[in-house]
Amino acid sequence: MARTLSVLAETFPLLRPFRISRGVKTEAQVVTVVLEENGVIGRGECVPYPRYGESVDSTRAAIEGLRGAVEAGATRADLLRLLPYGAARNALDCAMWDLEMQQAGTGIGAALGLPAVLPPVATALTVGLDTPERMGAAARELARVPLIKVKVDRSDPAAQLRAVREMAPRPRLIVDPNESWTIDEVANLQGLMAQLRVDLLEQPLPVGEDGELAGFFSAIPIAADESVHVAEDLETLPDGYRVINIKLDKAGGLTAALELAEAARARGLTRMTGCMVCSSLSIAPALVIAADSAFVDLDGPVWLAQDRQGGVTCERGMLLGPERGFWGGLEAAPR
């Protein structure tokens, strides 16, 4: 029986608005790929991101443009030359991984030399951008989780951060300005971030301006997010970055994300695993990268009013893998 490809656009309403410096989301719009071959099904999901010039329509068109090649048996290696990095390639690549693991009857953990059972992992839970008072109130609800990610902008980051730390004195903190700061703000906020025990500052400067980090020593490790998509990007990464945020939607799939993780490891860069606002079908393959990451930010499904059945769960900031059979033969710890 020939392989068949299905491409679906799906929408998941959010429990509450998700605010960052670029705007507000009230729903997660995803593109889902389903591959079927001889009665075996593989699934993958991606989140088209306007920041990278992507939309649901353009992503579906890119996938449909490869229908002939995919249904004729194109491999993950073929995808690396047939599609650029980005959301479309991610959905196809993850569906192929799932199909391969289902056909082989092998869990992806075993295939990649990971533990047979993936243990729970501490994930960042996000305090979205708002007034300092509301951000503090949101942080109070997260005061006992291991890790909080704080979305800030240029309006008053000092007040935003103080409000969060006052209400959540114990968790580790990631601060994410989403490219909204200047180098002066990075420098001037060093003392406050050290005082508030911030563990990581994520992509403070816009892509194209982060050359100002060359030779800059930060008391708070700085992570590259928008500045790094694939392994080749590491060649021109300013030395002010000590951490990279690996997202499957940026890298264009788990295959390229694994290459990026290995290249970062070889350069002595700390790894972080991130995600878009998404369902558990995006998170399951990202758990493979998270298994060897110092920082994990995979709370995308936590924002959904309703996730996919059998997906990941989050209990007090600890992320548990999906039910067996959900994706890639993952074996998660018992619930």
Side-chain angles (χ1 to χ4, degrees):
M1 184 182 298
R3 180 190 292 179
T4 60
L5 165 68
S6 299
V7 188
L8 311 170
E10 299 183 89
T11 300
F12 294 85
L14 304 190
L15 280 168
R16 57 193 179 280
F18 181 83
R19 294 181 175 89
I20 66 173
S21 61
R22 292 193 198 99
V24 183
K25 291 175 70 75
T26 58
E27 60 187 18
Q29 295 181 322
V30 309
V31 175
T32 305
V33 164
V34 179
L35 298 176
E36 183 172 359
E37 189 173 290
N38 299 322
V40 181
I41 291 176
R43 301 183 302 159
E45 176 186 287
C46 68
V47 182
Y49 200 35
R51 168 65 180 80
Y52 304 131
E54 299 171 334
S55 68
V56 168
D57 288 343
S58 68
T59 299
R60 292 183 69 180
I63 296 170
E64 289 288 357
L66 284 186
R67 176 176 292 277
V70 170
E71 293 189 338
T75 65
R76 291 185 289 107
D78 293 329
L79 289 182
L80 295 177
R81 60 179 178 80
L82 291 172
L83 275 178
Y85 58 75
R89 195 174 75 186
N90 179 33
L92 281 168
D93 180 81
C94 289
M96 288 182 178
W97 271 106
D98 190 22
L99 183 65
E100 290 172 29
M101 296 300 100
Q102 303 281 3
Q103 290 172 327
T106 303
I108 195 168
L112 295 176
L114 299 173
V117 177
L118 293 179
V121 61
T123 182
L125 295 179
T126 303
V127 172
L129 182 62
D130 212 321
T131 64
E133 294 75 20
R134 289 176 178 170
M135 292 176 69
R140 185 189 300 116
E141 300 299 317
L142 302 177
R144 296 186 180 276
V145 305
L147 179 63
I148 291 175
K149 181 171 182 174
V150 188
K151 294 289 189 178
V152 299
D153 60 7
R154 296 190 67 192
S155 62
D156 196 347
Q160 293 162 348
L161 293 176
R162 286 193 181 100
V164 169
R165 182 48 97 192
E166 180 181 357
M167 295 299 177
R170 295 174 58 183
R172 302 169 72 202
L173 286 186
I174 300 172
V175 174
D176 186 6
N178 282 107
E179 302 181 88
S180 65
W181 286 4
T182 66
I183 190 65
D184 288 341
E185 285 160 329
V186 174
N188 293 338
L189 287 164
Q190 292 275 302
L192 176 64
M193 288 190 290
Q195 176 189 339
L196 298 180
R197 294 174 286 109
V198 171
D199 289 88
L200 186 67
L201 175 62
E202 185 179 347
Q203 191 76 39
L205 305 183
V207 173
E209 297 181 21
D210 55 1
E212 296 185 77
L213 290 173
F216 182 87
F217 177 79
S218 174
I220 311 301
I222 301 178
D225 182 6
E226 288 85 354
S227 291
V228 174
H229 293 251
V230 291
E232 290 80 3
D233 293 333
L234 298 180
E235 301 295 335
T236 56
L237 193 68
D239 60 4
Y241 287 120
R242 287 183 271 163
V243 182
I244 61 162
N245 188 354
I246 302 173
K247 293 178 179 174
L248 272 61
D249 276 311
K250 289 191 306 174
L254 178 58
T255 301
L258 288 165
E259 292 178 358
L260 174 55
E262 181 56 35
R265 188 181 301 109
R267 287 168 171 77
L269 293 167
T270 300
R271 276 84 58 208
M272 172 181 179
T273 305
C275 69
M276 308 302 184
V277 181
C278 59
S279 88
S280 284
L281 190 54
S282 285
I283 298 303
L287 290 173
V288 174
I289 304 297
D292 188 37
S293 292
F295 296 94
V296 175
D297 177 23
L298 296 179
D299 70 340
V302 174
W303 288 85
L304 304 185
Q306 185 171 347
D307 191 11
R308 298 182 192 270
Q309 186 175 359
V312 300
T313 57
C314 189
E315 299 177 2
R316 293 183 291 277
M318 298 302 295
L319 191 68
L320 286 76
E323 295 178 3
R324 185 174 185 179
F326 182 81
W327 184 88
L330 277 174
E331 291 282 348
R335 296 177 186 272

